[in-house]
Structure formats: C-alpha cells, structure tokens
Amino acid sequence: MAAPNTRLDRDEIVAVRQPLTNTPQRRAMLGKLKRRPSVRNSLIALLVITLIGLCLPFFAQQDPYDLTSFSVMDNRMPPMSESFDGMVFWLGTDGQGRDMLSAILYGMRISLLVGLVSTALALIIGVSVGLVAAVLGGRIEALLMRLVDFVLGFPSILVALVLLAMIGRGVDKVILAIVMVQWANYARIMRSSALSERRKEYVEAAHNLGYSTGRVMFRHVMPNSLSAVLVLATVQIASAITLEATLSFLGVGVPVTEPSLGLLVANGFDYLMSGAYWISFYPGIALLILIFSLNLVGDRLRTALDPKRS
Amino acid sequence: MTESSLIAADRPATENAAESADAILEMRNLSRVFTRQPVLAETLLKLAGRAPDIPVLRAVRSVNLSVQRGEVLGLAGESGCGKSTLGRMMTGILPASEGTVSYEGADVATLRGAALKDFTLGVQMVFQDPYSSLNPRQRVAAILAEPLTVHRPDLSRAQINARVDAALEEVGLDVSYRDRFPHQFSGGQRQRIGIARALIVEPQFLVCDEPIAALDVSIQAQVINLFLELRRKRNLTYLFVSHDLSVVRHMADRVAIMYLGEIVELAPTAELFADPKHPYTRTLLEQIPSVRNRKRSFSTVKGELPSPLNPPSGCPFHPRCPAAMPQCSVDAPQLQQIAPGRTVSCHLYDKDKTLT
Ligand SMILES: Nc1ncnc2c1ncn2[C@@H]1O[C@H](COP(=O)(O)OP(=O)(O)O)[C@@H](O)[C@H]1O
Ligand code: SF4
Ligand SMILES: [Mg+2]
C-alpha cells in the first residue's frame, strides 16, 4: 500500500494499516466466536432451545389445552402405557388424563415465551429509564433512581405474588409482573454505564454541536452503553423463567387451562405420595434442562463478551 | 525561539486596543462551583433546618477576561487550576454558576433560537483527549456529516459528502479514510478529525483545550502548525489552553496565567516572557529553559497546589509565594492594570494603583 498522504509522518501511516474490519468490540466478539467454539455452540444452543421450544408443540400428539382431546378415563397412567384408542403415553398422564409429553412440550413453549417476552420488555423499559436518568440528571434522575431502589428493595417473588394476587392469573399478567420486578435491574446498570459514557468528551462535543438531547441520548450515549445490559439480559431469561415457574407453582401464575412447566409440577404434587411420580417429575426435569441450558448459554456469553477478558 | 518572535512581529496590535473594542467573547465575574448531590440524609437535615456541610469546589473564581476577534489567547496554569472548566463555560458546554459570558455583545444566557445556535456553533471546542472525543461507533464520514445533517437541511446528500471530503483535506487527512472508525487512527489523526468536526460548522472561535498534550512529541509540532495554518486561512480566534509554556509562547498573542481558579496575570506574550510580573508567573518561567523539563509541566513549583475545596485565605498563592508579605494571607489582591494591556493580581504592585 503506497503512503496515501505524504503530509502524514510514518507513525501515523503505520497506524492506519491496521486491518479494517469493524469496531474493536465487534471484532473482538467475532474473533472470540471463531476461536472459542464454546461461545458459538452456546449461541447455537440458545437458538436451538428457542426454536425447539417454540416449534415442538406442533409435534405433540395431543393438544393439552383442548379439553375434548383427552379423557379422564386415562388419568394417572404410568409412562409407556397405552390408551384404549392406541396412543402411547410416553411419559404417562396426569390427573385429568392429559398426555404428559404433550403437556410438557406446550408448557415449555409458555415458559420460554414468558421468559423471552418479559426479558425483552424489561430490557426496553430499563434501558429507557436508565438512559433518561443518566442524560437528564437532576430531579428526574433522583426520582427515577429512588423508584429503582424501591423496586429492587423488595424480594422480586414477593412483589410479583402481591401483584398477581391483585390482577389475577394469565400469561400476559405473569409477563407484566415479571417486567415490573426486573426492569429496575436493567435501569440501574444502564444508568451507570450511560453515566460513565456521558462524561466522555464526544458527548460534550455532541452538545457543543447543538444536537438535541434526544439525538445525543439515542445516537451517541445509548449505542455505547448497551453492551452491559445485553449481557445481563442473556442471563436474566433463565431467571425470568424460574420466576414464572415459581409463580405458577404457587398458583398465581398462568391459568390452569394453559399449564406451564411450573404449574405442571404443582399439579403433580398431590399425586407424588400416591406413587404417580411422573406427573411432577418429568415437567421438573424439563424445567431443569431448560434453565440449565439457558444459564449455561448466558454464562458463556457473559464470559465471552466481558471486555476485561480478551 | 526565533520563530515565535517572528510571529509576534506580524501580529495585529490587539493588545493595545481598549478592552472590548472588538471582543468576540467577554467574561464578567465568571465563576463555577462543583458540589455533589446531597444524599437523602442531608436533604432531610436541610428540611429540619440544620444545613449540612456539603463541600463546595470553586473551580473558577470570578474571572474577567475578554477575547479579541482574531487573536490567539493563551491560557496556562497547573493541572487542576480550572482551565478546562473555564474553556467549557466559554463554549456553553458547561453553564456558569455566577457571572456572564457575552458572545458578540449579548449575554449567552439570554440567547434563544437562532441567536443561541449562532453562539453554540460559533464557539467550538477541540478536546484534550483524542481517544474519548470521538464516538467510537461512528465512522469518520458520519462524525463529520452529522452536524450538517442536523443544522443544514438545505444541503443535499452529495453536497454534504463534498463538504466532508473538503473538511478531511483541510485538516490533512486523506478522503479515503472516510469510512473508517476512530480506533483505526493514531492520536494525531484523531485530533485532526476532532478539529475537522469543529470546523465543519464554520465557527468563529475555537477553544483548544490542551489539544496536543496527549500526542506524541513528534506529532505535536504538526498539529500546532495545522492550528496556525487554519487560523490564517479562516481568520479564526483561539483560546489556546496548555500547561506547556513553550507552546503558549509559540502560539499566543496574549497569555493569561491561571492559578486556583483565578487569572493572576494577563499580558502580551512577548512582554510576559520578557518581564513576568506575578511571582507565580516568575516561578513558572524558571521551569522552562531546560528542554527536559518541558514535558514535566509545573510539578517542580515549590509546594503543593492547594485544594480548590479549601483555598488559602488572602492571596491564593501566598503559601508558596517567595515574595509573600504579611498582608498577603489576609487580603485577596485584585486584578489591576499596571501597564497598557497588562494586568496582574498581586499586592507587590499595589502602589501602581494610583497610576492607573
Ligand atoms: N465535573 C466536575 N465535577 C466536579 N469537579 C470538577 C468537575 N470538573 C472539574 N472539576 C474540578 O475542578 C477543578 C478544575 O478542573 P479543570 O478545569 O479540569 O482543571 P484543568 O483543566 O486546569 O486541569 C479540579 O479540581 C477538578 O477536580
Ligand atoms: S499577593 Fe503576596 S502572596 Fe500573592 S503573589 Fe503577590 S506577593 Fe505573593
Ligand atoms: Mg484540563
């Protein structure tokens, strides 16, 4: 490469010859994805879990939400038994005669849906609140951050329980409850990373160039302070699912007609002592696998994206 | 320093002009304090009528200064004496706690609409740290085009591109760099991008806050020359902040010396270096002759720089001043004119008061 500009000294030209990919962060991430198969695998795993979770119900042999598709006659059948019309209950049936495998596949979809949607919503709210607090400062910041402290001051399960006790059951209501208790985590982290970003001189330059506050906020501060909350979000999906399962287990979560994994475990609880272990056991195993794999993925991603580890 | 005397020779004689004859920016009793936000307990104390003791840091204390159109005003002083804070207030980035900044005769606090935009864009800043002064996620072309897309909706895409290319060329960067990210450049090149970004809105006045302090010594001279060249081509006015007095001597028409948030001496460059009046300026000048000392700034001034949280009584320099007198620790000296265009804040010159 010929020296592009003779006015520059040799030092500067050498510096320009660096490979011209993308931002350092993106380059480091892509590099890690290539070098460390665990990261790529965990990303693929996340995608596969999501896809399986969302698509599997189509392969279920029974629609557990359709009360006419199963019969109470088949109740509490052990795994591998056969119904009188010839269908095999691989994982047995529950107290209403539902095929457990089908119920688990549907329940997993609900759990995943609740986890993903509530995390996404909490992320959007938290990021906006943290960003507004950091950029506007003053009273607005004080007010928003006291609110965040207030929300984080209570155990999340307690807040969600009280909330659901007031507004009733339902998938949308569980999502609302989880968003209500989780957005504050994102807001706090977003505010602190936006605050440290806001102190940088390019933000002062943006104000000096007469850009509107909104432009400074969304075009300059936000893109540079998102990475920390995104990392948190990958880990939070699993904890949102755990919270949903807990709420459903306690009977305030999803409605009985649309059982999630947590509700399935709760339903089988009564039969545990009478020997019908499978009604609780298999949904529990499914929940465990789901949360474990999501945590694994989140953890790997967090390590991979940690700027302090290159 | 033969070249600095050459530059001094062809300077307009602004220093003798009456103050505010053609002032582009004027500061009157300008002060800035920093306090931290009171914590909840302190707010409650205050409500209960017991005023809590929140420390107040006076970064800039009652500065009176005017910048003449077309001049280079040097601003020097130890690190932490308030140079950046003063510069930020001059650009409007930081609001003043007290006092006024006037741009072309109008108090900037009262400006609205188009007049405010004129001031905001008319006074631009070149920052000290070329690494944090550019958005790491914007390409060079986006950094330079953004001010135009925001403020010049009348320009077409092609016209903006042409201006971006022209700006790159003006600061000595190849136009083929437009699609690169800031991290792909050296410090000197980033500083050039920062200068181009400030210039693209066609300012009158540039506040250069130690723009070469973070650069390699080999590159410093190039960037200084770029500043001089741009000033000539565009008739710019500079506030050139530096803690390196030899740079100030090379660049500036007049020099203001700052100590603990106050301007202690103001004089035309040649006079200041030939005959410094304030004891602090004298101590500073004793540091320069050795080339080795240049980069060490003023760390060799005897004694510690007092904390701006708790400034000394009387003259802020008295604990370190070799010429301190008994009254110095009691009475704060006022800035007084001792010769045309020369002001100093020191009790040693009190007898001159009758002459002015
Ligand atoms: N945003 C801020 N908040 C609190 N203190 C500040 C802030 N900016 C500057 N200061 C303080 O004000 C004083 C002057 O700082 P500065 O203007 O940066 O000095 P200089 O540029 O001369 O090194 C310092 O004591 C510094 O700690
Ligand atoms: S007023 Fe006194 S202490 Fe201050 S600089 Fe002058 S002589 Fe020194
Ligand atoms: Mg500074």
Side-chain angles (χ1 to χ4, degrees), chain B residues 264 277-280 314-329 331-333 345-350:
Chain B
V264 295
K277 295 292 191 200
H278 196 281
Y280 179 59
C315 171
F317 191 51
H318 88 258
R320 302 162 85 186
C321 179
M325 302 169 288
Q327 72 177 118
C328 296
S329 56
D331 284 349
S345 151
C346 171
H347 288 309
L348 288 177
Y349 303 94
D350 277 354

Side-chain angles (χ1 to χ4, degrees), chain A residues 12 16 204 209 215 224, chain B residues 88 135 146 151 180 189:
Chain A
E12 304 204 35
V16 169
E204 294 193 325
L209 287 163
R215 175 176 279 268
N224 286 294
Chain B
R88 282 180 161 84
N135 184 340
E146 191 171 8
H151 295 294
R180 296 186 184 177
Q189 288 174 317

